[in-house]
Amino acid sequence: MGYDVTAEDLDAIALGGAFLGTGGGGDPYIGKLMARNALADSGPVRVIDADEVDDDTLCVPVFMMGAPTVMVEKLPSGDEILKALAELEQFLGQKAGALICVEAGGLNSTIPYAVAATTGLPLIDGDGMGRAFPELQMVSFTMHDIAATPLALADDKGNSTVFSTIDNAWTERLARAVTVQMGGAALVAAYPMSGAQMKASILRRTMTLIRDIGQTILSSRARSEHPGPALRGKLGGTHLFTGRVTDVERATTGGFARGTLKVRGVDAFHGQDMVVRFQNEFLLAETAQGEVVCSTPDLICALDADMGMPVTTEQLRYGLMIELTGVPSDPQWRTPAGIALAGPGYFGYDHAFHPLGG
């Protein structure tokens, strides 16, 4: 049921992670470099189905926390995440038996491959989001009452700490504050869980989906075709908008890259304008008149309209032509618990969630 991932697979995995990252999660290219070095030194990574894991195996998500814009300027060495994992194992008095990708998008879709290669641990085919979200508690694990702590946090200077908190929302608040003091980005091992807990909570086979999305992008580009239509067909997506960026307001505050994107329509969208709001990830797309077109927890994914490559929020610039695709989120996110955790109301938007295609 499992399969090996080699360095040759990383281009597709990084592209798929960038697309599902909904503009955030950090540039997967950085994680790809880390993973490529680790795979070159240690060999391929084994990706296994969730059901291949014993119920009592310790499963640990490993990931980056912080503002994606920081990671563009401050490349992690790779030692930070290994230190975080070792600190967590020492605290628990137990060795991890498998690793988990916390989110299927962005930098955190590639970092786990680097850790898996270096440690020799398998990576489970699944994640906690099916996309990228800006806050630590916004994972399916929270919906299944799995605690984020003990959590180990490490930075590039050699600092590390272990948290124990009363709930996952407090974990986000405290870990975010320390991450800001660590320079805006840190590497994390958290949500330690048993194999039984993992099987009940994980969004399954998203590692394979990431690779398949990336392969779709690569094969479309090889045929000189834009990948947007093929991706929408694969994912049940909706073509939200195509246009030219006219303005980007962006600021890194409170450990997040927050901002607003304005796009002027072209082709079928000529004469229209769209506004997209983001907090690391694209969260809300609306018309110039304020009509919501797509919102979290559904995905708003951006591709370069000319080249067909995924676009992250830190890459947005005046004049860039982009194509926006809406993708339905995993059914877990469309439940009352999922909407409470990562729906529009949580981010302060005053409208109810209207699912794509619903």
Side-chain angles (χ1 to χ4, degrees):
M1 297 173 69
Y3 57 90
D4 289 338
V5 167
T6 67
E8 288 71 31
D9 298 310
L10 292 174
D11 286 339
I13 290 167
L15 283 174
F19 183 79
L20 287 184
T22 60
D27 189 343
Y29 178 74
I30 298 168
K32 182 177 76 170
L33 294 180
M34 295 170 62
R36 180 166 287 160
N37 287 338
L39 267 68
D41 291 340
S42 306
V45 169
R46 188 69 177 170
V47 175
I48 60 173
D49 189 82
D51 289 332
E52 294 182 64
V53 179
D54 291 339
D55 284 352
D56 59 354
T57 296
L58 175 61
C59 305
V60 179
V62 287
F63 54 98
M64 179 276 290
M65 184 175 189
T69 45
V70 173
M71 301 298 286
V72 174
E73 300 177 0
K74 187 171 69 171
L75 186 70
S77 69
D79 294 337
E80 303 95 331
I81 190 68
L82 297 174
K83 181 178 178 64
L85 179 61
E87 293 265 357
L88 183 62
E89 290 177 324
Q90 182 178 8
F91 185 88
L92 294 170
Q94 183 180 359
K95 288 287 189 179
L99 299 175
I100 300 173
C101 182
V102 77
E103 58 185 343
L107 176 65
N108 285 327
S109 65
T110 45
I111 279 181
Y113 287 97
V115 184
T118 302
T119 61
L121 293 171
L123 181 63
I124 298 166
D125 192 358
D127 81 300
M129 297 185 192
R131 49 162 297 160
F133 276 123
E135 297 188 7
L136 183 146
Q137 79 278 14
M138 295 175 175
V139 287
S140 58
F141 314 133
T142 298
M143 288 188 267
H144 291 264
D145 298 321
I146 297 171
T149 59
L151 171 149
L153 196 70
D155 70 6
D156 60 325
K157 295 171 279 294
N159 299 308
S160 64
T161 187
V162 176
F163 282 95
S164 178
T165 63
I166 58 173
D167 61 33
N168 293 353
W170 268 104
T171 309
E172 158 65 26
R173 292 174 64 179
L174 296 176
R176 185 75 54 182
V178 172
T179 296
V180 170
Q181 293 302 312
M182 285 179 163
L187 283 302
V188 184
Y191 285 100
M193 67 189 81
S194 68
Q197 289 175 306
M198 176 274 295
K199 283 179 268 193
S201 62
I202 201 167
L203 308 186
R204 294 184 177 232
R205 299 180 180 86
T206 51
M207 298 298 95
T208 298
L209 177 63
I210 289 171
R211 184 192 61 181
D212 291 349
I213 289 172
Q215 289 173 342
T216 298
I217 294 172
L218 289 172
S219 60
S220 293
R221 284 170 48 82
R223 297 190 301 269
S224 299
E225 298 174 356
H226 194 277
L231 290 172
R232 287 189 286 274
K234 182 180 186 65
L235 300 170
T238 300
H239 188 183
L240 300 177
F241 205 74
T242 296
R244 190 177 301 278
V245 174
T246 59
D247 189 37
V248 185
E249 299 174 7
R250 184 195 293 113
T252 300
T253 57
F256 298 105
R258 304 175 191 263
T260 302
L261 166 70
K262 297 180 180 178
V263 189
R264 177 68 47 83
V266 300
D267 300 332
F269 301 93
H270 179 75
Q272 303 176 47
D273 293 289
M274 178 162 282
V275 177
V276 182
R277 307 187 190 281
F278 59 88
Q279 179 180 317
N280 289 9
E281 288 74 40
F282 299 125
L283 297 176
L284 176 73
E286 58 186 347
T287 66
Q289 293 73 39
E291 179 185 353
V292 175
V293 177
C294 185
S295 76
T296 178
D298 284 342
L299 289 69
I300 302 167
C301 305
L303 293 170
D304 183 307
D306 297 319
M307 304 298 293
M309 297 292 282
V311 178
T312 59
T313 56
E314 62 263 30
Q315 294 168 335
L316 295 170
R317 65 184 187 278
Y318 176 82
L320 179 68
M321 286 279 290
I322 61 171
E323 177 184 281
L324 297 173
T325 291
V327 178
S329 56
D330 185 274
Q332 287 202 52
W333 288 115
R334 293 181 166 201
T335 64
I339 293 167
L341 195 59
Y346 178 85
F347 294 99
Y349 303 125
D350 58 356
H351 66 85
F353 171 62
H354 298 289
L356 275 172

